DNA sequence: TTAAGGCTTCCAGCTACAGGAAGGTCAAGC
DNA sequence: GCTTGACCTTCCTGTAGCTGGAAGCCTTAA
């Protein structure tokens, strides 16, 4: 299977697949003409990577997950810890975004949004207090 | 005022301040010895940038906000639109993160997290359905 | 005079790819 | 046999927003 077909089957762009090879996440064999040839095993790895990336795991985390995936003697606790860590990371980002949203929403509510220059948003950014 | 003092006063690293100059967000004058010299106006801009960056605006958005900040004839509607757009962007990120969290949480709950290899998280990443 | 600290420029690296150029390969149609 | 177009190859550059580090000048105090 050539890279185009592997791309279709894994839902990953060819650019991404070549990049994953460059950083040694996969190593397809080469045909005589130099084309990359993907086995079913390679395809499984690509799909695994597509899914774990889409769940927010970094490349290095994916590398670790992949090694656990292929380790028959893995402990599920190791996998679960990665997932829980990622959930913690997501929680921190959520809290930060909620905080940003609250601040921006308050400012936007205070702003008339008309053609006059007076603007509480600019005042806040400039460090001017609103009283 | 030299860059170190400007850094303290604006809460921005010196590296960042030099970078902002490189991308033409500020243009401090130079002393005879070649040192950058920051005026009060420069300092206001730096603080404005620090605050707007911390609220999640991109560099290009900050550039726009800065021009509105310094435009006496601005319409507050222009500023408000930027803020509302940013809130929309934050909302989209929140939804995406919530979705990721829900998926990961469900998988983590299903995972025993012991020393055995059976793992619903890995199964999901591998595309195996859980039934 | 020397040492410490601050300043300068320049270059490399980070994440996870995407875009594009220049060129080889393959299958179909004429 | 030749062309055309789709596919493949490698290599280089760029993205955002800095950060780290090297090599070297400037300033101030002991």
């Amino acid at each position: 299977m050539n890279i185009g077909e592997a791309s279709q089957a894994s839902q990953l762009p060819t650019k991404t697949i070549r990049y994953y090879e460059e950083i040694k996440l996969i190593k397809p064999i080469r045909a005589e003409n130099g084309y990359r040839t993907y086995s079913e095993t390679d395809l499984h790895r690509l799909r695994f990577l597509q899914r774990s990336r889409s769940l927010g795991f970094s490349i290095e985390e994916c590398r670790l997950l992949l090694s656990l995936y292929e380790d028959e003697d893995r402990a599920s606790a190791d996998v679960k810890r990665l997932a829980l860590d990622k959930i913690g990371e997501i929680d921190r980002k959520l809290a930060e975004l909620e905080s940003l949203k609250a601040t921006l929403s308050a400012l936007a509510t205070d702003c008339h949004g008309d053609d006059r220059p007076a603007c509480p948003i600019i005042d806040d950014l400039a460090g001017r207090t609103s009283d």
Side-chain angles (χ1 to χ4, degrees), chain A residues 1 8 10 12-13 18 28 39 44 57-60 62 64 67 69 71-72 74-75 91 93 96 99 109 111 127 130:
Chain A
M1 176 186 308
Q8 293 259 336
S10 64
L12 287 171
R18 289 199 195 92
S39 68
H44 283 308
F57 290 101
S58 72
I59 291 286
E60 287 316 306
C62 287
L64 188 45
S67 73
Y69 165 55
D71 178 3
E72 297 291 314
R74 69 175 165 260
D91 277 336
K93 281 189 197 164
E96 192 186 339
S99 166
T109 300
C111 177
S130 56

Side-chain angles (χ1 to χ4, degrees), chain A residues 48-114:
Chain A
F48 186 95
L49 287 167
Q50 191 280 329
R51 177 74 175 146
S52 30
R53 286 287 298 131
S54 77
L55 284 181
F57 290 101
S58 72
I59 291 286
E60 287 316 306
E61 286 163 344
C62 287
R63 197 187 295 277
L64 188 45
L65 283 168
L66 206 46
S67 73
L68 289 169
Y69 165 55
E70 286 166 351
D71 178 3
E72 297 291 314
D73 297 327
R74 69 175 165 260
S76 64
D78 290 341
V79 184
K80 185 166 185 170
R81 182 157 18 82
L82 280 175
L84 292 176
D85 284 355
K86 184 55 62 179
I87 290 171
E89 197 178 301
I90 291 174
D91 277 336
R92 285 189 293 280
K93 281 189 197 164
L94 282 171
E96 192 186 339
L97 287 177
E98 294 284 9
S99 166
L100 287 181
K101 179 181 172 179
T103 303
L104 283 176
S105 297
L107 290 173
T109 300
D110 283 353
C111 177
H112 288 299
D114 53 25

Side-chain angles (χ1 to χ4, degrees), chain A residues 1-12 14 17-18 21 26-47:
Chain A
M1 176 186 308
N2 285 349
I3 197 167
E5 209 176 335
S7 169
Q8 293 259 336
S10 64
Q11 296 286 78
L12 287 171
T14 58
I17 296 177
R18 289 199 195 92
E21 178 176 355
I26 43 170
K27 348 173 179 42
I29 59 173
R30 296 292 178 129
E32 288 190 358
N33 59 12
Y35 286 16
R36 291 168 176 85
T37 302
Y38 296 87
S39 68
E40 278 304 310
T41 302
D42 291 328
L43 200 49
H44 283 308
R45 295 174 70 103
L46 287 176
R47 288 209 184 97

